[in-house]
Amino acid sequence: MAQVFKPLSNVPDHLALEREALERWDRERTFERLREQNRGNPRWSFIDGPITANNPMGVHHAWGRALKDVFQRYKALRGFDQRYQNGFDCQGLWVEVEVEKALGLNSKREIEEYGLAEFAERCKERVAQYSEVITRESRRLGMWMGWGNDYHTFSDTNIEYIWGFLKAVHERGWLYKGHRSTPWCPRCGTSISQHELFAGEYKELDHPSLFVRFPLKERRGESLVVWTTTPWTLPANVAAAVRPDLDYGLRDGGWRLATEDGEYDRVVKGEELVGLEYEGPFDDLPAQADVVHRVIPWEGVSLEEGSGIVHIAPGAGTEDFELSRAHNLPVLVAIDEGGRMTSQYGEFAGLTTEEVEQPVIDALRKRGLLVEAGRIVHRYPTCWRCSTPLLFRVVDDWFIACDEIRQPMLDANATVEWTPPQYGKRMDDWLRNMGDWNISRKRYFGLPLPFYPCSCGQLNVIGSLAELKERAVTGLEQLQELHRPWIDNVPIRCEKCGEDVFRITEVGDAWLDAGIVPFSTLGWNNPEWIEHGYATGAAKGLSGADLPDHAYWEQWFPADWVSEMREQIRLWFYAISFMSVTLIGSSPYRKVLTYEKVLDETGREMHRSWGNAIIADEALDRMGGDVMRWMFCAQPPQQNLRFGYGPADEVKRRLLTFWHSVGFLVTYANIAGWRPEWDAAPSPEHPLDRWLVARTAQLARDAEEAYERFWTPALTAVYEGYVEDLSNWYIRRSRRRFWNSEPEALATLWWSLVQALRVVSPAMPFLADHLWRTLVLEGPDSVHLAGWPELPEPDQALLAEVAEVRRVVELGRQARSQSGIKLRQPLRRLVVQGADGVSGHAAEIADELSVKQVEFGEVDASELRVKPNLPVLGPKLGKELASVRAALEAGEFEELDGGRFRVNGLELGPDEVLVERRGKEGWAVAGEDGLTVALELALDPELELEGRVRDLIHEINRLRKEQGLELTDRIVLTLPRDQEELLRHEAWIKEETLAVQIQTHGNEVKLEKV
Ligand SMILES: [Zn+2]
Ligand SMILES: [Zn+2]
């Protein structure tokens, strides 16, 4: 007989079926057809935050990319037209650092010797290579995007849009060149901005801890005792700070913060020390010529550590630098770009900040200035790209002032709906505290800042390629793209004095590249659509993306939804919001979903150097895309995700239950030769079928609610609950009907499985489509083309009734397991109290619990014991507790409904008492929340015989499996003679085991296929 459905294997081979689906989607143009199907419908705009095309994907990237795909697929099922444009981040420090590593270059000098043009080519090659790798990996994860029409942030078009933004910023007077102390990476040779500092890591580092004496000039024999953990900054010392209102004490000739129990020769207020001059530790260095060292007041002096007197080196610390402005102190810059002491520092010149530690300590000791030298382990910031400990350096950088934009950005953020909501507040906090945006990096392969400062004082800012061409003096012929070194060879004419001016050499912060995307990729202000017009400059050949026109921008801006990890609050979310509020005064996104970090299985951060990082490819090879996606979906996004193969196996097991449910239908439909009708709406009669229809409608409704609020943990929870109900209630309770090939049961289960597949397909696109192809013989050829199911209102009364039945059964099982009597042994009677609404289901309950009779009424078979819940009641009752406890113990209480009790005239709630029900002799009792069941345990010969029959049936069915019999095979059964009495139930045994004949012979059970 030809089979209606292709049989399912026992367990899914996730990798094989995913490979098959990917090939089929390609072959059948499934994604393109989906886009065509939805074209012209209402729009749903998602804007992708770019992934750095720099390395293979890690599993932490996969989390976000899975979520993005889940919601795009869901919105597609709902019929929305979408853009599906993926983005790659392509320039800036992160790409440079990887290319440096690959080329074995270790400093900026080596990059310059290698040649900027060659270096730029290597950076582009790396981006080309890894955008391909990431595309392949994303497809394996099931991500549907318009691959090949990606945006690459290093396109000339993207750069031009940023130029336009910077020009607008300049016209508002927000652009300035700042001279200030900033965090500096000596390896990368560039400053690090505030948001990058946060994004970087603080590490536990071991540093020197020095107490040093600064002799006071006018007071012979007295000196200041200062504390420092950065010996390299001492040669740049210009001042010492005290807190004026605190007590300082003199001991052994040294002034330091006075503690209450310390003994001092003299104690004075800090203000008395202010203004005193002292001898610096290294006054003989050229850098120190003409420096007058003195004591200054500072409220920020720490009381936590050190001596209460802070050494101030304005060239080597941010706060120190601010103090130099307030107190007119000289600023001595101690280190060069590479973190080495400059030539002004005599014997220390040329040493790194680390190399100089010991020579400084030795020199202090020789001069008699060292009070104490130890070590300290403390948290210290490191470079987010290369992990080198950061230094502080005074440099010239370009900034965008943010005071004027702060309030408009806060207003814009107030229009955004954040999920989880607390992250919106974090954005507000960031905006309230953000400093000016440091946009310049002293590097090579990045956004060329279009700033051309002229010696006449004019700052020329170029806003577009057309403007550059118009004002260029020479060099246009070699300008292959808007990157260094080519752009550096194009001087322009100063708009004020007409002199030739060159661009500054700095490149831009990479967040400018990613931040302009809601404008540059959507064609803002572009008069006409340009085919492939986005793929310019370095992006040429990598992408076919168009540059749309302004009308398109108006259709797709702002994004209805964006989603990135929480760290992006002060990075991408901040950057796109900053640029959008600047350009048009409103937020570029309406809703945000953000999520935390991926940790390893044990809860440690993942690091390549620790050997516990998992790259996406490896995880995909071992668990497949669906399992990975399900793990990500199940994870509450406000908590770190522990990623590992143990949790993945657990997910596999859960998905297996659904697979088996489909397998069950396939098996029995094939036996029955039953064929589904694609468009038949179910209107079954049987209560179980009616219930499953309602339960499926409820699933669709719950899932819709979860999707609509972008909350995947609710989606996986409602789905797993549904599968449990489906398999552990509907299918289990309906087995006999399937054995009997009842068409109504087959049709109801088929219909329900098909709807469930549509509902879950966004989260597990491969498995859902595979099962869809198994079950759906007519109708859409992919679940992803099938749309969201339009289902009738679920019958809530029926759902509630069955839920109550299941509670009764669950309690009955508990009571049984307490009694130690196995389920196969039938019992006489179950009494149910508190669930009268389900009395119509007595037969079902009896069958589930294998009891002869179910009664609804008062359970007097139990003893109720109630004790006070001390942690709750103790604080509430105080002294009264003792008498309440005594009354409860004596049984002097009244049981009220809802799990409440009255005792001593007080009413106690369910959480205030601990309730225990014990069966009286001969009964097993279980209860919760006002529902109690009691199982009568006494056995009689009739019940015992039935128990033996059930054992026998169980044994025979085990043997059927063992002997490899088909579900439909009939048998001849041989029973041992001593079991002859079981034949009182001959018809029953035959029916359950498909025996056509039973004989008794010998002393073991045998079966034979007929
Ligand atoms: Zn670095
Ligand atoms: Zn000029």
Side-chain angles (χ1 to χ4, degrees), residues 183-198:
W184 182 271
C185 174
R187 201 218 66 86
C188 295
T190 187
S191 41
I192 297 294
S193 74
Q194 192 187 2
H195 51 245
E196 289 170 321
L197 185 61
F198 280 114

Side-chain angles (χ1 to χ4, degrees), residues 93 97 184-190 192 382-388 390 443:
L93 196 50
V97 168
W184 182 271
C185 174
R187 201 218 66 86
C188 295
T190 187
I192 297 294
T382 60
C383 174
W384 70 310
R385 277 291 110 200
C386 72
S387 290
T388 305
L390 296 176
R443 296 292 307 189

Side-chain angles (χ1 to χ4, degrees), residues 452-460 493-501:
Y452 296 75
C454 179
S455 54
C456 78
Q458 180 70 9
L459 173 60
N460 299 274
R493 202 155 281 124
C494 172
E495 60 200 336
K496 192 167 162 207
C497 72
E499 283 297 309
D500 293 358
V501 254

Side-chain angles (χ1 to χ4, degrees), residues 349-364:
L351 300 180
T352 66
T353 55
E354 215 171 310
E355 288 163 355
V356 85
E357 281 173 5
Q358 201 51 48
V360 164
I361 293 169
D362 291 345
L364 291 170

Side-chain angles (χ1 to χ4, degrees), residues 808-820:
V808 170
V809 169
E810 198 37 56
L811 286 176
R813 291 225 174 87
Q814 273 179 33
R816 253 196 187 267
S817 76
Q818 286 163 26
S819 73

